[in-house]
Amino acid sequence: MTGEILKIFDKLYPFDGVCFLHYDKQKPWQLLFATILSAQCTDARVNEVTAELFKIFPTLEAFAEADILQIEAAVRPTGFFRNKARHLQGAAQQLLANFGGKLPREIDALTALPGVGRKTANVVRSHIFKIPCIVVDTHVSRISQRLGLARETCPVKIEHELMLILPEEHWIRFNQQAILHGRTVCSARNPRCGNCALNSLCFSIDFDKKSCDNVVTG
């Protein structure tokens, strides 16, 4: 069944390498910072904020030396702005002090930075370093559970479940496909099950109601 799901996803979303967060490829640290800001915030809002944020603070040094209140004001629309501002400044300072201003590729080094968990680290590793990773955000978590690909609710456990059943060359693609499917069809509330190309393979659909029933919405 996993193979059938991937075939359908490939037909629906036939591409690789899409990043939903905007950043300057000459400044890969910007993706790290954008992903930190994306916690509990939409990518669209983050992209609006970072378009101005990276003009105000164009370098790691600018973040590291800034008045924290200036950073807070700039990232306020993303929510939890005080914590996020501290994380951005702390990450900038540690990248400069410990890594010469370069992003490390090792997950342990990335997750040691302020505000960086496995999801954020894996976004960076997959897009910047092209390392196959499973990025478990709310959409990947929900889609995986509804399709019966994962039984766990903990993101780290879901990540490892998916790594066992998905071919490694499909990991990055699956992240993007599940996110798009979650945004456009399989939403947390009122999923469009009747219009879903995967409904015949879905463990959670109630075919009488043509909607999902008793599922984790995450």
Side-chain angles (χ1 to χ4, degrees):
M1 189 185 77
T2 301
E4 288 302 310
I5 290 171
L6 297 182
K7 285 180 183 178
I8 293 171
F9 265 164
D10 284 346
K11 289 180 181 178
L12 293 173
Y13 315 107
F15 46 74
D16 279 317
V18 174
C19 185
F20 302 113
L21 294 169
H22 300 166
Y23 69 100
D24 183 343
K25 289 182 172 57
Q26 302 302 313
K27 299 178 179 180
W29 56 267
Q30 288 186 354
L31 178 59
L32 175 71
F33 283 25
T35 310
I36 291 172
L37 292 176
S38 72
Q40 303 298 313
C41 186
T42 66
D43 290 349
R45 176 58 61 87
V46 171
N47 288 335
E48 290 176 3
V49 169
T50 55
E52 295 303 316
L53 178 69
F54 295 146
K55 291 178 183 176
I56 300 170
F57 308 104
T59 64
L60 286 172
E61 289 80 2
F63 274 101
E65 298 166 5
D67 183 330
I68 192 66
L69 294 179
Q70 285 184 297
I71 304 177
E72 287 181 5
V75 303
R76 189 183 187 101
T78 68
F80 304 97
F81 63 94
R82 291 190 179 90
N83 282 340
K84 289 180 179 180
R86 286 197 297 271
H87 291 157
L88 296 187
Q89 186 163 68
Q93 291 168 345
Q94 289 193 26
L95 287 172
L96 291 166
N98 301 332
F99 301 101
K102 306 292 185 182
L103 282 179
R105 59 188 291 138
E106 298 80 11
I107 194 162
D108 289 344
L110 284 166
T111 55
L113 296 171
V116 180
R118 286 188 68 89
K119 185 194 83 169
T120 298
N122 281 336
V123 169
V124 169
R125 295 174 83 228
S126 62
H127 286 288
I128 301 302
F129 299 110
K130 309 305 179 186
I131 298 170
C133 300
I134 299 288
V135 178
V136 182
D137 73 347
T138 183
H139 298 296
V140 172
S141 175
R142 182 174 68 255
I143 301 303
S144 299
Q145 291 175 63
R146 287 180 174 175
L147 291 174
L149 299 175
R151 295 181 179 276
E152 300 288 348
T153 57
C154 167
V156 175
K157 292 182 178 179
I158 291 173
E159 177 187 341
H160 287 101
E161 280 187 293
L162 293 176
M163 288 170 69
L164 289 175
I165 65 172
L166 299 179
E168 185 173 309
E169 64 272 15
H170 216 115
W171 290 357
I172 296 175
R173 200 184 324 162
F174 180 81
N175 299 331
Q176 299 155 348
Q177 292 168 335
I179 290 170
L180 279 175
H181 197 66
R183 288 177 177 174
T184 59
V185 179
C186 193
S187 55
R189 295 178 179 83
N190 302 315
R192 298 170 55 216
C193 301
N195 297 322
C196 180
L198 292 161
N199 59 21
S200 64
L201 301 173
C202 185
F203 273 48
S204 300
I205 192 169
D206 181 332
F207 284 99
D208 292 328
K209 297 178 183 178
K210 285 292 189 293
S211 63
C212 289
D213 192 25
N214 297 323
V215 295
V216 176
T217 56

